Amino acid sequence: MCVVVMNIGSLNRVVCKVWDMTNGSLQLPEDSILQPAWDYLHQNYESTLRSPLFPVVLSVLTYLILVALYTVLDILAPTWPSINKYKIRPDKPIAWASIWKTLGLTTYNHLVYIFPAAVAQWLWRPPIPMPREAPSLTNFLLGILGCTIIFDFQYYLWHLLHHRVGWLYRTFHAVHHQYPESFSLVTQYLSGWELFSVGFWTTVDPVLLQCHCLTTWGFMVFNIWVSTEDHCGYDFPWAMHNLVPFGLWGGAPKHDVHHQKPGTNFAPFFSHWDWLGGTSFSPTLSVPLKGEKDKAA
């Protein structure tokens, strides 16, 4: 039984809440909730969305917007107590020299690695297929969750290996640990190999799960958002680790501990792999290693 009907422009789509009369339960409008927006994108931006460059541009813009917002907070925090109170290490302001240095490597990585990869995709990759049907809301959310779980496991293994093997740590991962106190621009303060690894999994995991392209783009945005949040250095009430129950999500506090104690908290998002692997370390028990150089475990 349809209780609410909305005509959205020329799409003429029915958006309604459905009441299942057989068991008296309220069901979410699976097919209709994303279809109007998907139809609008199809009709107005299909050539842009089908371009192999679109996922790259989407990822880069998402990251730049997020780090810009967090960097503004970092600049204001020393003089704004209302912001500084949420910093994990309020006595450690972010210096301009650190901002410029991390921004420099980020720019270098984008020019040397990401831009050529984008050009290669534009030249050799066929246009992205765009199905007429949008994914259901359930498939959209479960697709993002599934990709996040797989990515979390992949990076946990990669991260653990690059801390356990000294040569791998020194050659590829040590650059990321130059800053004991993390802030948003440290998110992509990476070697080319680590940047490639992260980008490869972000691209391949939706393919493995046969995700709709809209789900793929949603996962890319979500992955960048939570990765930047992990490094932001803030413990906001609305952060993912405060929303996900039972301590299942590590978040910024646990990743800050990892930068203080590099032999702990290897998983980027969830906590279960560190629990199972014996590498979990609670932020409430951490002690900053002041003045010490980060080492591989």
Side-chain angles (χ1 to χ4, degrees), residues 165-180:
V165 180
W167 179 82
L168 291 175
Y169 179 84
R170 293 188 300 270
T171 306
F172 299 115
H173 190 55
V175 61
H176 185 66
H177 279 272
Q178 290 182 12
Y179 293 95

Side-chain angles (χ1 to χ4, degrees), residues 17-69:
K17 294 181 180 179
V18 179
W19 182 261
D20 189 343
M21 299 300 294
T22 59
N23 56 19
S25 63
L26 189 65
Q27 298 177 339
L28 291 176
E30 283 297 323
D31 294 331
S32 61
I33 196 168
L34 296 178
Q35 193 65 48
W38 184 241
D39 287 344
Y40 175 81
L41 293 174
H42 244 297
Q43 293 174 6
N44 296 279
Y45 301 102
E46 181 174 1
S47 60
T48 300
L49 297 176
R50 293 191 69 204
S51 170
L53 287 176
F54 176 72
V56 180
V57 173
L58 177 66
S59 298
V60 171
L61 286 179
T62 300
Y63 180 67
L64 292 179
I65 291 170
L66 288 171
V67 297
L69 292 174

Side-chain angles (χ1 to χ4, degrees), residues 258-274:
H258 172 73
H259 276 258
Q260 298 290 320
K261 291 181 173 293
T264 64
N265 299 343
F266 294 112
F269 306 138
F270 294 103
S271 299
H272 60 278
W273 292 117
D274 283 305

Side-chain angles (χ1 to χ4, degrees), residues 32-200:
S32 61
I33 196 168
L34 296 178
Q35 193 65 48
W38 184 241
D39 287 344
Y40 175 81
L41 293 174
H42 244 297
Q43 293 174 6
N44 296 279
Y45 301 102
E46 181 174 1
S47 60
T48 300
L49 297 176
R50 293 191 69 204
S51 170
L53 287 176
F54 176 72
V56 180
V57 173
L58 177 66
S59 298
V60 171
L61 286 179
T62 300
Y63 180 67
L64 292 179
I65 291 170
L66 288 171
V67 297
L69 292 174
Y70 281 121
T71 301
V72 169
L73 294 180
D74 290 335
I75 294 170
L76 295 177
T79 56
W80 288 41
S82 58
I83 297 175
N84 203 54
K85 69 179 181 179
Y86 291 112
K87 282 185 65 69
I88 296 172
R89 304 191 180 277
D91 58 331
K92 299 285 186 179
I94 307 303
W96 274 105
S98 299
I99 293 175
W100 289 120
K101 185 178 180 181
T102 51
L103 186 60
L105 183 60
T106 299
T107 303
Y108 174 86
N109 283 339
H110 280 73
L111 292 176
V112 174
Y113 299 114
I114 295 178
F115 178 71
V119 172
Q121 286 199 86
W122 177 60
L123 291 175
W124 293 306
R125 183 177 176 180
I128 299 170
M130 291 184 62
R132 297 300 306 179
E133 295 298 319
S136 68
L137 180 60
T138 299
N139 287 340
F140 178 76
L141 296 177
L142 288 181
I144 293 175
L145 176 61
C147 290
T148 304
I149 291 173
I150 294 174
F151 179 92
D152 187 71
F153 176 64
Q154 291 165 330
Y155 190 77
Y156 173 79
L157 293 179
W158 187 100
H159 201 185
L160 182 66
L161 181 66
H162 282 68
H163 273 269
R164 293 288 190 252
V165 180
W167 179 82
L168 291 175
Y169 179 84
R170 293 188 300 270
T171 306
F172 299 115
H173 190 55
V175 61
H176 185 66
H177 279 272
Q178 290 182 12
Y179 293 95
E181 291 82 28
S182 62
F183 55 100
S184 63
L185 278 165
V186 177
T187 308
Q188 291 191 10
Y189 193 75
L190 308 170
S191 67
W193 167 241
E194 184 166 358
L195 186 66
F196 169 80
S197 300
V198 171
F200 178 77

Side-chain angles (χ1 to χ4, degrees), residues 171-288:
T171 306
F172 299 115
H173 190 55
V175 61
H176 185 66
H177 279 272
Q178 290 182 12
Y179 293 95
E181 291 82 28
S182 62
F183 55 100
S184 63
L185 278 165
V186 177
T187 308
Q188 291 191 10
Y189 193 75
L190 308 170
S191 67
W193 167 241
E194 184 166 358
L195 186 66
F196 169 80
S197 300
V198 171
F200 178 77
W201 294 323
T202 305
T203 303
V204 169
D205 289 347
V207 176
L208 294 176
L209 296 185
Q210 299 182 346
C211 291
H212 191 283
C213 53
L214 186 62
T215 306
T216 299
W217 301 331
F219 166 63
M220 289 179 174
V221 171
F222 178 74
N223 186 287
I224 295 169
W225 164 36
V226 291
S227 296
T228 308
E229 185 182 80
D230 271 5
H231 290 85
C232 72
Y234 291 90
D235 187 1
F236 290 119
W238 54 84
M240 282 291 293
H241 65 277
N242 288 321
L243 300 178
V244 177
F246 311 119
L248 293 174
W249 194 272
K254 279 201 169 184
H255 196 72
D256 182 77
V257 171
H258 172 73
H259 276 258
Q260 298 290 320
K261 291 181 173 293
T264 64
N265 299 343
F266 294 112
F269 306 138
F270 294 103
S271 299
H272 60 278
W273 292 117
D274 283 305
W275 292 342
L276 295 172
T279 54
S280 179
F281 198 89
S282 172
T284 59
L285 300 177
S286 65
V287 178

